[in-house]
Amino acid sequence: MAGHPTRIAQALRARIFAGEHPPGSRLAEIPLAEALGVSRTPIRLALAQLEAEGLVQASPGGGFLVRRFTLPEIEDAIAVRGQLEGMAARLVAEQGLAPAARQALEACLAAGDAALEAPALDAVALDAYGDMNTRLHAILLEAAGNAALNRALAAITALPFAAASALVPHEGSAAARHALLRHAHHQHHLLVEALAAGQGSRAEGLMREHAENARRNLRLILATGEPGVTPLIMQA
């Protein structure tokens, strides 16, 4: 397996979702590196990414522990992220999208288009899309120039499955999830269009609706019984 941290994070997430590491179990760098055939460095970076997503938490004895969550907790976090990112989009549109930010966003759109052009998405395409998606959301937040908003969004995206990249499909996911991903990227195009036109209300609404995709994605996972996600979520 290649040592790309995003791909390693996807592999670890898949192992957790498959039940190989149940809630409460400990994840240590050395055994994971041996199991995946990579060095400890990408494992360390991947675990940090999963911690940022809220999927794992630091263990007092070293390493990380797999967490378990409630469905309302996850959906509430996603809804709050949508509100905060909507505010960021409105600020950027009303302040005026700087040429450098617009160029960076358009590069993200092109990268996403390239990643999604194949009928079926392989690991390389999903790596590229995941990196692009993370970058696009970061550019938007930076362009908003609001430190308090930055702090609030950082706190909410550390909650379970709330980060923009947390529910990007993996190889073998249901075709409906890939269709949802393409719909999400179409929204990216509409968002950049609204930002460039200075349409604050439209940009805000698009970002709120964009976050709703994550909730649809989660519900689709639960409805189709995609392996491993359901055991992590207490729905009662």
Side-chain angles (χ1 to χ4, degrees), residues 13 26 31-32 50 75 95 98 109 112 120 132 205 225:
R13 194 183 297 115
R26 184 172 177 269
L32 289 174
L50 296 185
E75 293 198 319
Q95 294 165 0
L109 296 181
M132 177 284 303

Side-chain angles (χ1 to χ4, degrees), residues 2 9 17 43 50-52 54 56 58 70 90 113 120 143 152 168 173 175 197 205:
F17 289 174
I43 292 290
L50 296 185
E51 183 184 27
V56 304
T70 66
R90 178 171 55 79
D113 290 343
V168 170
S173 295

Side-chain angles (χ1 to χ4, degrees), residues 31-93:
L32 289 174
E34 292 174 351
L36 296 177
V38 298
S39 69
R40 293 177 63 182
T41 298
I43 292 290
R44 188 178 304 118
L45 294 173
L47 286 170
Q49 180 177 330
L50 296 185
E51 183 184 27
E53 294 175 6
L55 187 57
V56 304
Q57 60 188 27
S59 169
F64 293 86
L65 299 175
V66 178
R67 293 185 58 192
R68 174 173 278 156
F69 319 103
T70 66
L71 183 57
E73 174 187 16
I74 297 169
E75 293 198 319
D76 286 350
I78 292 171
V80 172
R81 174 169 67 82
Q83 295 294 319
L84 293 173
E85 289 190 324
M87 177 181 175
R90 178 171 55 79
L91 287 173
V92 173

Side-chain angles (χ1 to χ4, degrees), residues 25-191:
S25 62
R26 184 172 177 269
L27 301 174
E29 291 178 12
I30 294 176
L32 289 174
E34 292 174 351
L36 296 177
V38 298
S39 69
R40 293 177 63 182
T41 298
I43 292 290
R44 188 178 304 118
L45 294 173
L47 286 170
Q49 180 177 330
L50 296 185
E51 183 184 27
E53 294 175 6
L55 187 57
V56 304
Q57 60 188 27
S59 169
F64 293 86
L65 299 175
V66 178
R67 293 185 58 192
R68 174 173 278 156
F69 319 103
T70 66
L71 183 57
E73 174 187 16
I74 297 169
E75 293 198 319
D76 286 350
I78 292 171
V80 172
R81 174 169 67 82
Q83 295 294 319
L84 293 173
E85 289 190 324
M87 177 181 175
R90 178 171 55 79
L91 287 173
V92 173
E94 291 177 351
Q95 294 165 0
L97 182 61
R102 180 172 182 173
Q103 184 176 12
L105 289 171
E106 289 177 345
C108 287
L109 296 181
D113 290 343
L116 296 176
E117 66 182 359
L121 304 181
D122 60 15
V124 174
L126 289 169
D127 281 349
Y129 185 87
D131 289 345
M132 177 284 303
N133 190 56
T134 298
R135 189 164 64 251
L136 184 146
H137 285 257
I139 292 167
L140 174 68
L141 191 58
E142 182 180 358
N146 187 308
L149 182 57
N150 269 332
R151 289 192 295 270
L153 196 50
I156 203 67
T157 54
L159 295 174
F161 299 103
S165 61
L167 291 172
V168 170
H170 56 79
E171 284 185 288
S173 295
R177 292 191 68 199
H178 291 167
L180 192 59
L181 201 66
R182 292 184 173 91
H183 174 66
H185 192 55
H186 176 64
Q187 289 180 324
H188 288 155
H189 278 271
L190 296 177
L191 171 67

